[in-house]
Amino acid sequence: MPNYSEKPTIIFDMDGTLLDLAYDDFIWNHQLPIRYAATHGCTLEQSTESLFQFYQQHNHTLNWYSTRFWSAKVGVDTLALQHEFKHKVALRAGCLELLNYLKSNGYPCWIASNADCEGLKFKLEQTQLADYFDVIISSETIGYAKESIEFWQQLQSLHPFQTDQAYFIDDTEKVLNSAKKFGIGNLITIAQPSSKGKIRTESPYPILQDLTDLMVMLEQAEDLKKYA
Ligand SMILES: [Mg+2]
């Protein structure tokens, strides 16, 4: 029997959940089209068009999340591009407050990210977040994107956790859907993954307006357990 901790495991997505997705939008939708146009001698319009087509083909696959794949596909070193703008990597508001709260209250915290291993390492170095987490896993290591139920099956066999008690917070509905199919008990989404993007008002899942709202949710769940 795995040695389950008393507190539920809290599993976080990284980009758009703990970190501001504005950085990724900036890299992939603004800077990469400029670099691609310069590399291939085409207009920005043509470059944006070509990249958009590639994006459509590979969205929600492991390739989509692979900087190596994109570097080879588009002829631009996308990891170097990310490093070049590393000062723009930013935590979402309330991130540290929430993580400090979880740590001091004994919640096991994990990151489950579709970012590839290089991308994950780079973001964690930039943000100094690694020490908050007991498990940090990339879908590249698992061999399936989080959109597949196989991701969760593999994660469970590598790092056993109590599925029905766990919390999983992610800004992508397709990912939450596969976690639901697998049986994760508490699924939560994010109102505004990018500080420069739209605010989500509808979702099949509870929406965190602020990351720190999770503290209130957990306290309410603890109270329910106490008085059950
Ligand atoms: Mg995300």
Side-chain angles (χ1 to χ4, degrees):
M1 271 293 281
N3 183 18
Y4 291 128
S5 120
E6 222 176 89
K7 299 274 177 140
T9 303
I10 317 287
I11 308 174
F12 288 99
D13 166 50
M14 182 173 68
D15 299 318
T17 296
L18 295 173
L19 307 190
D20 190 344
L21 200 63
Y23 171 81
D24 306 275
D25 282 339
F26 173 79
I27 295 293
W28 298 97
N29 298 324
H30 295 278
Q31 280 304 315
L32 189 57
I34 296 172
R35 297 302 164 92
Y36 184 86
T39 306
H40 299 280
C42 60
T43 65
L44 189 58
E45 205 183 3
Q46 289 164 334
S47 154
T48 307
E49 170 90 353
S50 307
L51 288 172
F52 182 73
Q53 278 182 8
F54 295 151
Y55 290 172
Q56 293 288 94
Q57 278 167 28
H58 298 283
N59 200 358
H60 299 296
T61 67
L62 264 190
N63 279 343
W64 170 261
Y65 302 106
S66 165
T67 46
R68 261 198 316 266
F69 169 80
W70 285 111
S71 299
K73 179 94 185 161
V74 304
V76 175
D77 185 339
T78 55
L79 190 63
L81 182 62
Q82 292 183 67
H83 277 275
E84 196 180 324
F85 292 97
K86 62 183 181 191
H87 56 282
K88 284 183 175 282
V89 175
L91 300 176
R92 293 192 59 247
C95 177
L96 289 182
E97 191 183 339
L98 171 62
L99 294 176
N100 281 318
Y101 169 88
L102 295 173
K103 202 161 181 169
S104 55
N105 285 279
Y107 287 94
C109 292
W110 297 12
I111 285 181
S113 176
N114 271 332
D116 61 5
C117 297
E118 285 288 345
L120 185 55
K121 189 169 152 249
F122 159 67
K123 296 264 180 70
L124 292 175
E125 275 168 11
Q126 277 309 113
T127 54
Q128 306 278 299
L129 283 188
D131 287 349
Y132 286 98
F133 299 96
D134 306 288
V135 170
I136 296 175
I137 198 105
S138 159
S139 55
E140 187 184 33
T141 305
I142 299 271
Y144 295 94
K146 287 188 290 180
E147 286 86 336
S148 310
I149 195 162
E150 287 90 344
F151 173 90
W152 301 102
Q153 291 163 343
Q154 294 290 336
L155 178 64
Q156 176 67 263
S157 66
L158 276 175
H159 302 283
F161 64 102
Q162 213 169 347
T163 315
D164 58 337
Q165 300 295 314
Y167 285 72
F168 175 54
I169 304 102
D170 197 298
D171 63 310
T172 301
E173 196 172 307
K174 274 196 175 186
V175 170
L176 290 166
N177 292 345
S178 78
K180 185 178 179 186
K181 234 188 258 167
F182 178 67
I184 293 187
N186 304 282
L187 299 161
I188 302 167
T189 192
I190 297 288
Q192 196 183 19
S194 163
S195 58
K196 295 192 167 62
K198 279 188 279 187
I199 297 178
R200 180 179 281 141
T201 52
E202 279 180 31
S203 168
Y205 302 100
I207 303 173
L208 280 186
Q209 297 299 326
D210 294 305
L211 278 175
T212 49
D213 293 346
L214 185 65
M215 290 153 47
V216 181
M217 283 185 184
L218 292 170
E219 274 162 19
Q220 284 169 349
E222 287 276 302
D223 284 345
L224 279 177
K225 253 198 262 170
K226 245 183 261 166
Y227 301 114

